[in-house]
Amino acid sequence: MSSPVAVRRRGVERAAWFLVLPFCLLFGVFTAWPVLQSLFMSFTDTRNRDLRSPFAVEFVGLENYVKAFADPLFRTAAANTAYFVLVGVPLTLVIALTAAVVLDKGITRFRAFFRLGFYTPVITSIVAVAVVWRFLLQDEFGLINTVLGWAGVEGPNWLGDPDWSMPALILMAAWRNFGTAMIIFLAGLQAVPPSLHEAASIDGAGPVRRFRYITLPLLRPTLLFVSVTTAIGYLQFFEEPYVMTNGGPLNSTISASMYTYRQFGFGNYGYASAMSYLIFVVIAVVTFLQFRLLRERG
């Protein structure tokens, strides 16, 4: 005969499964199953015409993946994405960390106002951001080129020149996204014990040395989290080129996610699914490398 404790434990377990069952069902139907279906689709020649007869599709193995590697436009989109990530992530982190340090140590009055102001672009609609930045980046009458003209510098055609269109998007993305990283960095900075800085200051260490040898090492977990989340977002960047340039000029700003989206729009579902999983693999590899590089050493 079961003891009262065992009976009560089984009742708790049944109640727990009963409470978690709705989530499991919703997750399985709307997340797990579509993911598995898209993975299977990436190994088939599924197109929009096959939606009425899904069992008539042909299994093509790795053909879609081989086709993606051989597609010159996909390679261009991948190179644009790599450019965006390699330049955009460090720039965003540097701006965010600088702003966090200034808010933590340099600004004593109206600190909440500056925090709100720096974070506002994060929650602002990309459409509103695009309208503002298109005005700023206009060739002849944009504010940025006007200011450069005051200094005797002829500003470029930011969104119309293939050499400058991607830097313009990176600048906009860094301005729009650094607020999130800044808030996280600020929390990490406030967790650094002041006694460590006081002891180092007594030993003669200046602000730069204290920041390098005390603050940065203690910020390693925060830096890891921020760099991983920022890189994941930038590897999937889509809104900036879609709204600002539509991938132009001359495909200089088309991203891997945008090209994948276009293939879905063309009805090439199997091919688009394969490219989606290539992006997923790249994200996983980059995240793994960041963990290996920035994790705390035991």
Side-chain angles (χ1 to χ4, degrees):
M1 184 175 182
S2 300
S3 66
V5 175
V7 173
R8 188 160 50 250
R9 183 180 300 167
R10 285 196 295 270
V12 171
E13 291 177 353
R14 284 195 294 268
W17 278 109
F18 178 78
L19 292 174
V20 80
L21 183 61
F23 167 78
C24 292
L25 291 176
L26 291 173
F27 178 82
V29 173
F30 294 104
T31 302
W33 173 249
V35 168
L36 293 176
Q37 183 65 24
S38 66
L39 179 61
F40 171 76
M41 190 184 298
S42 69
F43 297 104
T44 68
D45 63 347
T46 306
R47 292 182 56 82
N48 54 356
R49 64 173 180 269
D50 298 315
L51 294 180
R52 296 183 179 180
S53 54
F55 296 103
V57 298
E58 181 180 352
F59 183 80
V60 297
L62 298 176
E63 182 178 319
N64 288 326
Y65 293 90
V66 174
K67 180 181 176 182
F69 282 112
D71 188 342
L73 189 52
F74 181 72
R75 292 202 301 267
T76 298
N80 291 339
T81 303
Y83 178 20
F84 187 86
V85 171
L86 292 175
V87 178
V89 171
L91 178 63
T92 303
L93 296 187
V94 168
I95 296 175
L97 184 56
T98 303
V101 170
V102 171
L103 287 177
D104 185 50
K105 301 296 182 183
I107 297 178
T108 57
R109 301 182 61 184
F110 307 109
R111 186 174 296 174
F113 171 78
F114 283 101
R115 289 181 186 176
L116 177 63
F118 288 149
Y119 191 74
T120 298
V122 177
I123 59 176
T124 304
S125 167
I126 182 61
V127 177
V129 171
V131 170
V132 173
W133 276 86
R134 282 195 177 194
F135 172 75
L136 295 175
L137 296 170
Q138 282 183 358
D139 183 16
E140 296 182 4
F141 305 106
L143 180 61
I144 293 178
N145 281 355
T146 299
V147 173
L148 291 176
W150 294 343
V153 178
E154 183 179 355
N157 184 1
W158 293 99
L159 298 178
D161 188 338
D163 295 329
W164 288 100
S165 53
M166 184 60 77
L169 293 188
I170 291 173
L171 183 64
M172 184 185 76
W175 172 84
R176 182 172 180 246
N177 295 297
F178 86 92
T180 300
M182 179 202 68
I183 294 296
I184 299 172
F185 276 135
L186 188 58
L189 288 171
Q190 293 175 348
V192 176
S195 58
L196 296 179
H197 285 281
E198 293 173 2
S201 179
I202 293 174
D203 290 337
V208 176
R209 293 176 64 86
R210 294 200 303 269
F211 181 79
R212 179 180 178 183
Y213 293 107
I214 296 177
T215 304
L216 280 182
L218 293 177
L219 277 181
R220 185 184 289 267
T222 306
L223 182 61
L224 172 61
F225 175 78
V226 172
S227 63
V228 167
T229 54
T230 305
I232 289 174
Y234 279 18
L235 282 167
Q236 302 175 82
F237 89 107
F238 170 81
E239 296 172 323
E240 291 84 357
Y242 183 79
V243 175
M244 294 290 291
T245 62
N246 197 29
L250 302 177
N251 295 319
S252 61
T253 59
I254 187 172
S255 66
S257 295
M258 185 176 181
Y259 186 59
T260 302
Y261 170 81
R262 286 183 177 179
Q263 291 302 318
F264 271 111
F266 296 154
N268 301 323
Y269 300 140
Y271 185 41
S273 297
M275 289 190 291
S276 298
Y277 278 95
L278 288 176
I279 297 173
F280 167 76
V281 170
V282 171
I283 291 174
V285 170
V286 170
T287 301
F288 172 78
L289 293 176
Q290 287 176 308
F291 268 92
R292 289 295 300 270
L293 180 64
L294 296 174
R295 68 181 180 180
E296 290 186 287
R297 301 298 192 268

